[in-house]
Amino acid sequence: MRTFLYFLLFMFLAVVVILLAALLGDQGAWYFAWLVGTAMIVLISAASAALLDTQEEHAAGQAAGGTRKPL
């Protein structure tokens, strides 16, 4: 039953995407680029935040006299 519901969900999404592509016409590529660019900016920001947190934890561990581990 779960697989069938996933199938219906993805079929619905495919129909929506096809309708949007038909309605947008030539502008569809611009919207696609906007979506991909926004997703990339969010992912790069999240990765940078995780790297900064790791560096701060490492620096705090060294300041507290912990063992020195390479990053």
Side-chain angles (χ1 to χ4, degrees), residues 4-70:
F4 181 69
L5 291 176
Y6 280 133
F7 175 77
L8 288 178
L9 174 69
F10 289 130
M11 183 64 77
F12 175 74
L13 289 175
V15 169
V16 169
V17 168
I18 290 170
L19 287 175
L20 283 175
L23 291 174
L24 294 174
D26 292 338
Q27 297 176 352
W30 290 104
Y31 287 111
F32 178 73
W34 178 75
L35 288 174
V36 170
T38 302
M40 288 299 295
I41 288 171
V42 169
L43 290 174
I44 289 171
S45 299
S48 299
L51 181 62
L52 182 62
D53 282 344
T54 302
Q55 289 176 345
E56 287 179 352
E57 288 176 4
H58 183 73
Q62 284 185 349
T67 59
R68 191 171 210 177
K69 293 181 185 176

